[in-house]
Amino acid sequence: MQEGFGSEGHFPYFDWMPDSKSIVFWTAGKFHALDVKTQAIKDIPVSVKASVKYADAVRFDVDVAPDTFDIKMARWAQKSPDGKSILFQALGKLYVKDIKSGKTKRLTRQNDHDEYYPRYSHDGKKIVFTTWSDETLGSVRTMSASGRSEKVITTAPGHYIEPSFSTDDKLITYNKNRRLFISSRILS
């Protein structure tokens, strides 16, 4: 159990010698025998002859802060109703990728908050999404599919998720998380 639980100790357990006259234990990098009758401790010499094969560690140069890089995870990806583009979120911002050309562009220009849960309207003309900032909390917003005319549609800051247009695109539903474990100056 020593590999998994520090509460079990970080040394091997004690054990009896076959003659039951002494206990063997390890400490300070050596094996020891404790004579039960006299309580005398003596070292148990151990030598091991071994050959070890090793390889040099594989190392790669890592650019800590590159100007550009490939994302590893796109979130809430959705194909546009006309089938020409993909809307997604990555690194806290909203992007649209043109399927034919492969070009990707960011939809918004702000850097004050993160953007989440993007969703096209059924006619493809608008996008609804949520925002989040640790200082100002979040909101539900809409904008044109081109990224213009951004409009906040919620009246109070909060933690909003999963917005969606109704099938006729006249209404928007969303979830507001009322069990907010992050405190903010706004809530206090």
Side-chain angles (χ1 to χ4, degrees):
M1 297 291 288
Q2 75 181 26
E3 292 88 5
F5 300 98
S7 62
E8 299 292 329
H10 297 290
F11 304 110
Y13 290 104
F14 300 90
D15 206 355
W16 289 93
M17 290 296 280
D19 62 8
S20 296
K21 292 182 179 180
S22 58
I23 298 173
V24 176
F25 64 97
W26 179 90
T27 188
K30 296 179 181 178
F31 289 101
H32 309 278
L34 169 67
D35 185 291
V36 175
K37 194 174 202 177
T38 66
Q39 295 188 1
I41 297 174
K42 68 176 184 175
D43 290 347
I44 301 172
V46 175
S47 66
V48 176
K49 193 173 195 177
S51 61
V52 178
K53 290 184 180 182
Y54 69 92
D56 290 333
V58 178
R59 301 192 188 279
F60 297 96
D61 288 335
V62 176
D63 187 352
V64 177
D67 291 333
T68 62
F69 57 90
D70 293 333
I71 61 167
K72 303 295 183 199
M73 186 171 142
R75 300 170 77 188
W76 303 294
Q78 180 191 17
K79 188 187 277 187
S80 62
D82 64 9
K84 294 181 180 179
S85 62
I86 302 287
L87 170 66
F88 65 95
Q89 185 263 24
L91 306 170
K93 304 300 179 217
L94 303 184
Y95 296 87
V96 172
K97 181 171 185 163
D98 182 276
I99 293 173
K100 190 173 186 177
S101 71
K103 291 183 181 177
T104 302
K105 72 172 186 170
R106 184 166 164 208
L107 276 178
T108 58
R109 293 182 178 90
Q110 66 76 36
N111 287 307
D112 296 330
H113 53 259
D114 286 339
E115 303 156 347
Y116 300 102
Y117 299 99
R119 196 91 185 135
Y120 276 112
S121 60
H122 291 82
D123 64 9
K125 294 180 181 176
K126 287 187 176 183
I127 293 170
V128 64
F129 63 101
T130 65
T131 65
W132 181 258
S133 163
D134 288 345
E135 289 80 31
T136 60
L137 303 180
S139 61
V140 178
R141 299 177 184 218
T142 61
M143 67 179 157
S144 68
S146 65
R148 293 188 198 95
S149 308
E150 188 173 316
K151 179 181 171 187
V152 179
I153 64 167
T154 48
T155 57
H159 184 214
Y160 299 98
I161 61 172
E162 301 168 337
S164 184
F165 285 97
S166 61
T167 53
D168 63 2
D169 293 329
K170 292 181 181 178
L171 301 172
I172 295 173
T173 61
Y174 53 84
N175 286 322
K176 182 177 183 182
N177 187 344
R178 297 198 186 279
R179 292 183 286 178
L180 193 61
F181 298 109
I182 300 174
S183 62
S184 169
R185 290 184 294 259
I186 288 180
L187 293 180
S188 45

